Amino acid sequence: MESHGQAAGLGAALSARKASSNKYAKSSRDGRVMDTNNSSIVSKRSVERLYLDKPHFFRYFVKKPIRRSPLINRGYWLRMHAIEQTVLRFLKEPSEKRKIVINLGCGYDPLPFQCLSKYPEHCTGVTFVDIDYPELMIKKRDMVLDQSEMKHLIDEPNDEAPHLHSTGHESPIMIRSNRYMGLGCDLRDIARLDKILEEELQIRRCLVLCSAEVSITYMDVDAADALITWAAQYDDVRFCLLEQLLPDGQEHPFALKMMQHFANLGTPLRCVQRYPLLQDQETRFLRAGFHSVKARTLWNLWQDQSAVASDLRLHLNKVEPFDEWEEFALFSSHYFILEAKKSLAHPLNSKDQEDVIPQDLASESQSHVQESPSIAVDDKLVLNVLSSQSKHHRKFGATIPFSEKAIGIHGGIVDKGRSNSTSLYQDISLEDKDAVYSSPPMGIEARACHTITALDDRRCLLAGGRTSPDNALHDCWLYHSGQWKSVDKLPIPLYRHGATSVGYGTADVGVLIFGGKTTGGIVTKRWFLWKETIGWQEVYPLAEELTPRFGATIASTSPHFGILLGGMGEDGLLCDETWTWNLEYGKDKDSALQLNSVKDFPIAPRFGAHLVWWSGGLFIIGGVSTTLITMEEEILRLSNESFGNVNMSTMLEPTAINIDFGQRPLLVGHATCTAGNALVIAGGGAVCFSFDGEPEPPGRHFVAKVVIPPNCNPVANLHAEDAERDFPEVQSKNMAQAVKRVRLESQADFDQLMLLGQPFVMEGLNLGECMTEWTVDKLVQKINSERLKPFGKFMREISDGSPQYLRSISAKKATEEPACFADDFPSLSHQFHLPQQLETVRQNQHSSPLRISGPVMANVLSQISGQKVLALYPPIDAVHFQIPPGSSSSPMTVFHPNQRGSVSYPRQHIRAVLNEGDVLYIPPLWLHSASPLDNLSVSINVFFRNLRSGYAAGRDVYGNRDLQVYENGRRSIEKIAKSMESLPRDIASTYLVRLGEELTKKGQDLKHKPDWIRTQRSGFD
């Protein structure tokens, strides 16, 4: 008996411990779910600041706003718009009943206050109910009561309505008025929830809308289903659900990243695994008891002009430049909004219910994928996919068809910045050890969304591209027999244009370009033709014209005939059109196009796809469409004997190809090229919304080949991990981000940009007569008489390519006073001036040396003659450049000594190519090194003080003396080290190292707190 009693006691203790452990695990899980609210409201606050009219309510819950990326802003704007429009329809719905809007898992979302402020005429007789965990609702209640703007909206003082009041912590009702109730209640406790709502609101007599925006998906699925079934018990109820879905299964790269992201946060998405598809969610609600249900993806909602009007989409484009369309489509294709309805006016009998609920749907299934019409598979073609071990995750680049043995991928976006490097891919079975391949010159500005079009086996043309979404490029480069040269510029800057060769294999070979975006985000519908003998000319359609579009894909199927597919209009809607075109050459330079619309084209419109005529068929590869493109539809082939004719009536149905995937690649932002008897696809990927916070790079890099069966002797597969290499100009770790380029309208523009603490290039400034007058002969004539050094000889040598450098010093007191261009070169000074936009620089000027070829002070570098490239490194990188204590110069060589303009130091940096007339702003302490791209480069630096205080006292001839606080700090370090001299060496060393680690930690913390920049640099006296 005794032993039995001991066993019972032990069992009770174990049970108590298990219960305590389960309670702790539940509490910890609930805490992580609440944390998802913190990230969400920061993103919504970013949207509110940029896109929404005042009053703003998220600002009360987000004390330190952060501007999110354009992609995250656009995605959250669509989420917020979808919920708002659903609630607004409910508020407008005619009813004699009192209306209740219940926000399930509301977090800090201020939906009630937004509606009461924005739609007061529709909120009469409406009570908004916010429900979430008690600890969260206490904080929300305190914030509401502390802000008069929100408090005023929900207080309705009259004799009939209850006055606004709050309760203690023991009551689940945190705050209550006739217009609003804040309720702290676990959504899993349905009995308690129902009791409170009935006692307080007599909810069964009301018209009810339950809204859940990415909240109940974190619940246990059975508990979430029970909550939906509870809502369906009311006679007049609506339900709005916004959550994630898996339209092509969990193996889709975006879905995989999304699921991993939430799992890593400790808040796995539960409901989406049981209900992955729209039809699953609809059936879920019908089985719960709702009479009608409609679910749609947010991408479908975006394309519905009745849901998002065109003028509203255009307004979004004006708020901030945007070019993440593929990533936006991927995000919004993986989120849905569902509206369910139950009403006594439209009851559903049992027979109706049987008709609307598919009987073969297994509610527990986790293997559903999006259903689509079955597509025949062409067994003659096989796609082999090989993952690359390279660190180059390159998207939106362009292929260079060097030969059937090798291709290059130039430019695009690498990691988080644009690149002007080129990756080379060679087939190891055909590699020619003696072959030399030339990448585009390093002087070409880093770019993305450009085109490179093959003219024949020896020539190709690089055209356009962009730096940022509002800055298109118009330079063009011809590759001919191993050499690159600059050719005629595009008539207008363009990116995301379609390009194809015409007249291939004839003497009239050229490049035809259509559409695209130009600077400022303007979409065009113009056609241009380039031929080496005549340059660019505009081509005009003979009859029908296409609407302006960008991201369309175009291909030739015969020398002067081809097809154009898809694209997107200025309002962000996909163009559901397919056209054939026929280029008609004129007698002189003029040419014209005959366009014909293709009716009933068998493939849905695509944006950002690639269209390639190869191996007797037309291949459509990747991109995004009106619905998510499934793996089966990623690469389709159209075979048609009459492709070369205008008549497309014999178009065959599309066929898929055999796919030998490892992990499925993401076919957006990819590049394509034909090489021998293979079609090569390389690169691509996407930033998966806000789910790329993990250290893995965005998207996946891969090499794929579509090959004909072995009996046709295909080339061997590319082994990317062995065959890929970067050209020697840029090493694999040397990732350069292009400097921001701007045009200033006023002094205020310059002052505002300085606050960001980043370099930028100013274009289009008036620097004076120096731009035309400072030739070699005139400089020699004017300067030779003012310097003892034989300046004429110096200029002749540097013009002949001799690597020499001149940096002027003060003509009066070289060792005591800073250089002043006006005083040191009086015969030249009147020809150079700072424009009014740089008045701040003039008023705070320290020195202005003439340079012919990392200060502490800020400076502007004006490029007068020639081209120059600079590599700029942020101040935090100073530790990597072996700068001696107390010095501001590094002994390291940044640029390659034998390759002009090529960076040899492998660190990520900002790259600035300065053309004549450009002015570069270099913030204080930014390390920089310059290399001329021409034999002669003439520039003027103007150093100026942009801090109100803090400069060290005494002489500072070169503007590179460290700030006083640094000099004081160095003296403090000496005192600390001296104070430990009496200690044993090992103890002193330990303490000094620990103190050094503390200083390093504080420096890293300050790196993420740039408030001092704004404080110190705001305004100039």
Side-chain angles (χ1 to χ4, degrees), residues 198 277 295 314 396 414 451 550 565 710 759 777 783 786 798 967:
E198 183 59 32
L277 304 179
L314 293 173
F396 298 108
V414 179
T451 57
F550 63 102
L565 173 70
D777 293 339
I783 296 180
E786 299 170 8
I798 201 170
E967 295 186 357

Side-chain angles (χ1 to χ4, degrees), residues 115-135:
C115 291
L116 289 165
S117 172
K118 194 172 182 180
Y119 310 111
E121 69 278 15
H122 300 301
C123 292
T124 302
V126 178
T127 299
F128 293 89
V129 181
D130 278 348
I131 305 177
D132 215 314
Y133 292 104
E135 49 266 55

Side-chain angles (χ1 to χ4, degrees), residues 398-557:
T399 52
I400 306 172
F402 287 123
S403 69
E404 66 177 26
K405 305 175 183 179
I407 67 167
I409 308 180
H410 171 261
I413 298 174
V414 179
D415 290 338
K416 293 186 179 180
R418 292 174 299 277
S419 171
N420 61 352
S421 66
T422 303
S423 294
L424 175 67
Y425 293 83
Q426 289 182 286
D427 193 307
I428 56 176
S429 67
L430 298 176
E431 185 176 2
D432 186 350
K433 300 293 185 182
D434 299 324
V436 177
Y437 305 107
S438 174
S439 65
M442 293 303 296
I444 292 182
E445 194 162 5
R447 68 193 63 208
C449 303
H450 52 303
T451 57
I452 298 179
T453 309
L455 297 166
D456 51 40
D457 293 338
R458 297 174 299 119
R459 294 180 298 164
C460 60
L461 182 73
L462 184 156
R466 68 165 177 86
T467 56
S468 62
D470 58 351
N471 185 31
L473 302 171
H474 57 17
D475 56 328
C476 298
W477 300 78
L478 179 67
Y479 178 72
H480 190 189
S481 301
Q483 299 293 324
W484 290 88
K485 69 174 182 178
S486 176
V487 294
D488 304 274
K489 294 180 178 179
L490 283 163
I492 57 173
L494 285 175
Y495 71 93
R496 289 230 188 229
H497 49 281
T500 185
S501 63
V502 290
Y504 197 91
T506 72
D508 284 328
V509 65
V511 174
L512 181 66
I513 279 180
F514 166 72
K517 276 191 174 183
T518 187
T519 296
I522 300 172
V523 182
T524 182
K525 61 177 180 180
R526 298 168 69 180
W527 296 78
F528 299 106
L529 175 66
W530 180 89
K531 288 200 249 182
E532 191 171 4
T533 54
I534 61 175
W536 290 102
Q537 60 170 299
E538 186 160 4
V539 181
Y540 298 95
L542 293 175
E544 291 189 84
E545 286 194 25
L546 280 67
T547 56
R549 67 193 67 192
F550 63 102
T553 180
I554 183 174
S556 301
T557 59

Side-chain angles (χ1 to χ4, degrees), residues 266-282:
T267 56
L269 302 178
R270 301 178 185 275
C271 294
V272 72
Q273 299 185 52
R274 185 179 295 181
Y275 306 108
L277 304 179
L278 294 177
Q279 66 190 47
D280 299 335
Q281 289 287 356
E282 290 177 343

Side-chain angles (χ1 to χ4, degrees), residues 250-261:
Q250 292 193 46
E251 295 307 312
H252 188 282
F254 185 97
L256 189 63
K257 192 74 172 179
M258 178 177 71
M259 299 296 284
Q260 288 175 346
H261 169 78

